[in-house]
Amino acid sequence: MTFVRTIQQTVAATIVVGVVACDSAPTPGLARGEEVFDTCAPCHGTDGAGNYELLAPAIAGLPAWYITSQLEKYQNGQRGSSPFDTVGIRMKSMSLALDVDGDLESVAEYVSGLPGIDAPASLHDGDANAGQQAYALCAACHGANGEGNEALNAPPLMGQYDWYLMRQLKKFKTGSRGSATGDIGGAIMRPNAMTMDDATMANVVAYIEAMQ
Amino acid sequence: MGDFILQRASSYAGDIDNLILLITVLVGVWFFLVEGMFFYLLWKFRAKDGQKGQYITGKEKHLKRWINIPHGIVLACDVVIIVFAINVWYNVKQSLPDAESTIRVIGQQWAWIFQQPGADNTLDTDDDIFTTDDLYVSNETTYHFHLVSRDVIHDFSVPVFRLKQDAIPGRSITGWFRPTQTGTFDVQCAEMCGIGHGVMSGRIHVQTAAEHSAWVAANSPAAGE
């Protein structure tokens, strides 16, 4: 009988511990961010350096406010909802995996702490000198050195791949990014991208790349 | 019975449920018969004091009957199942009733993209309507769908329609459905397609003809832009 009682008590204790463990929400912070980053790493890499094969941009070292704002946009459908934004749709689905309170901020904190990368140039058809002039339009929000501006929700452009910048400019122009209702930042960016033809985009991207 | 477990909302959902019910009954009856006989024999011929076990070759006619007769009946049941299954398979997968409208369903990691005709009711024209994860269709209307994939294998599954079809990269697979109930129902991916497979869900909104016409008019690019 004693043996049976011991087994019963052990099972009951295990269930109680299990329920308590399942019930307790993880503590937000860097450690949790690192844990949550396992969801991002398959595409963005364990160092957040991105992966061209998957068209995943570099995210290492991006400011936490920008990462949080973009994840929120993905989650509420302001980004990644256009049927023509194939890569954005993929990211939107992944953002939905961050469904625990505080996870968004935790992973943003972790990613922003990763060392930024030197993104090598891969596009060579732009003229950086010509791009400098066109960049004046971008500098108003993104800064003269592409350092970004939190007050304007404009991300830094440094440390980002040229192929990614090019794709985003084209997305803004066609409306597969920035045209969703409520995407204020996108609504500001779109008209600017619409003023550029492909050659101007290539020049601007070449200039940003040359600044790195 | 299938309707009690999960609502039916397409013209062929009942046929598929009835087929599954037929298989369940035929296989279930045999399951309980065989298990019942098995345990009965175990109990009847259990070890008894002073009685030795016998070696039975099973070659005698009266013993072979126990195998041959059920075998024949099971084969007959198989034939019944196959006849009904082929009939349902032909109606659902092989025949293609005339379409009143045609749509394209595009699977990608990890969302469903739907392309459907605008006011001209012709696919691949300028007024086509594209939506992500939400498909709007008209009730009591026969649709053809062209199912494609942008990347890996997916599976377009609408449980209330009892519709389930693989989407294969490089192929366009044509199928059909005819909604029979208005409402909003789940669309899911039923083929493991990567890390986001679990969140690859959508919705199909079955509307009345009037509601659907209004939706098309409001969302057709030619009308709205």
Side-chain angles (χ1 to χ4, degrees):
Chain A
M1 276 307 282
T2 311
F3 175 73
V4 172
R5 197 168 296 142
T6 307
I7 294 287
Q8 286 173 338
Q9 286 169 348
T10 308
V11 169
T14 307
I15 291 171
V16 168
V17 168
V19 167
V20 169
C22 289
D23 248 2
S24 59
T27 312
L30 262 182
R32 176 62 182 166
E34 185 175 6
E35 199 177 315
V36 173
F37 187 70
D38 284 347
T39 312
C40 322
C43 293
H44 292 283
T46 50
D47 53 0
N51 182 348
Y52 176 72
E53 297 297 324
L54 299 170
L55 298 176
I59 54 174
L62 279 173
W65 60 264
Y66 181 68
I67 297 169
T68 308
S69 76
Q70 295 309 296
L71 284 172
E72 283 171 349
K73 280 188 183 183
Y74 277 118
Q75 287 189 339
N76 65 28
Q78 288 175 9
R79 193 174 169 188
S81 290
S82 164
F84 308 104
D85 185 4
T86 307
V87 183
I89 287 170
R90 211 158 53 206
M91 181 60 210
K92 183 191 173 192
S93 305
M94 293 315 302
S95 74
L96 297 176
L98 306 180
D99 60 349
V100 175
D101 281 349
D103 274 2
L104 225 91
E105 292 76 12
S106 298
V107 79
E109 185 184 348
Y110 176 76
V111 172
S112 68
L114 293 172
I117 61 148
D118 289 325
S122 63
L123 307 175
H124 304 288
D125 50 351
D127 179 348
N129 290 328
Q132 184 172 11
Q133 194 178 351
Y135 183 78
L137 184 67
C138 319
C141 295
H142 292 281
N145 299 309
E147 67 274 20
N149 185 337
E150 182 177 357
L152 298 172
N153 206 30
L157 304 174
M158 295 296 98
Q160 191 51 269
Y161 297 106
D162 51 6
W163 55 262
Y164 178 76
L165 297 173
M166 193 69 183
R167 284 181 61 87
Q168 298 313 299
L169 281 172
K170 287 185 174 174
K171 278 189 191 180
F172 278 118
K173 185 173 181 176
T174 58
S176 62
R177 183 177 172 187
S179 56
T181 309
D183 182 5
I184 298 166
I188 296 169
M189 184 63 203
R190 268 208 80 197
N192 293 313
M194 289 166 81
T195 63
M196 300 184 192
D197 57 18
D198 283 0
T200 310
M201 286 181 189
N203 293 342
V204 167
V205 168
Y207 176 68
I208 295 168
E209 190 62 34
M211 279 199 291
Q212 299 205 30
Chain B
M1 191 178 85
D3 200 21
F4 172 72
I5 297 169
L6 179 65
Q7 190 177 0
R8 294 175 189 150
S10 80
S11 57
Y12 50 65
D15 296 339
I16 291 173
D17 282 353
N18 291 338
L19 177 62
I20 291 171
L21 181 62
L22 175 74
I23 294 170
T24 305
V25 168
L26 287 181
V27 173
V29 164
W30 278 104
F31 174 79
F32 285 109
L33 264 179
V34 169
E35 293 300 309
M37 180 57 77
F38 176 67
F39 285 107
Y40 168 71
L41 291 175
L42 278 181
W43 176 78
K44 186 177 181 192
F45 296 107
R46 66 191 181 278
K48 289 173 186 162
D49 289 340
Q51 189 165 339
K52 278 188 169 181
Q54 296 176 40
Y55 177 70
I56 298 170
T57 62
K59 285 180 179 173
E60 296 87 345
K61 259 190 178 179
H62 75 283
L63 293 176
K64 281 205 282 189
R65 277 203 303 248
W66 284 89
I67 301 295
N68 291 339
I69 293 174
H71 188 196
I73 303 174
V74 166
L75 282 178
C77 289
D78 283 346
V79 170
V80 171
I81 289 173
I82 289 168
V83 167
F84 276 87
I86 288 176
N87 187 43
V88 171
W89 180 264
Y90 179 80
N91 289 335
V92 175
K93 295 285 188 180
Q94 297 294 310
S95 70
L96 206 56
D98 290 341
E100 292 165 82
S101 187
T102 301
I103 62 171
R104 181 169 288 112
V105 179
I106 305 162
Q108 79 143 77
Q109 290 177 318
W110 291 279
W112 294 105
I113 314 297
F114 301 106
Q115 177 187 1
Q116 58 189 104
D120 64 359
N121 200 27
T122 307
L123 198 64
D124 292 324
T125 56
D126 288 343
D127 70 343
D128 283 358
I129 303 168
F130 289 84
T131 53
T132 306
D133 284 337
D134 287 276
L135 171 63
Y136 294 81
V137 294
S138 178
N139 195 25
E140 298 294 353
T141 303
T142 302
Y143 284 87
H144 284 186
F145 62 83
H146 300 312
L147 180 61
V148 297
S149 168
R150 280 179 176 168
D151 37 47
V152 299
I153 298 177
H154 299 280
D155 190 299
F156 180 55
S157 165
V158 185
V160 293
F161 284 6
R162 309 297 191 267
L163 166 60
K164 194 168 170 292
Q165 176 62 57
D166 276 358
I168 313 290
R171 286 186 64 187
S172 176
I173 296 169
T174 301
W176 70 281
F177 61 82
R178 182 179 174 86
T180 55
Q181 279 191 34
T182 56
T184 297
F185 308 107
D186 289 338
V187 174
Q188 59 192 20
C189 178
E191 182 69 42
M192 182 65 193
C193 60
I195 192 170
H197 167 68
V199 292
M200 187 172 168
S201 59
R203 293 149 297 278
I204 183 163
H205 307 270
V206 183
Q207 304 170 303
T208 62
E211 285 170 349
H212 188 64
S213 296
W215 181 85
V216 169
N219 289 277
S220 174
E225 289 178 10

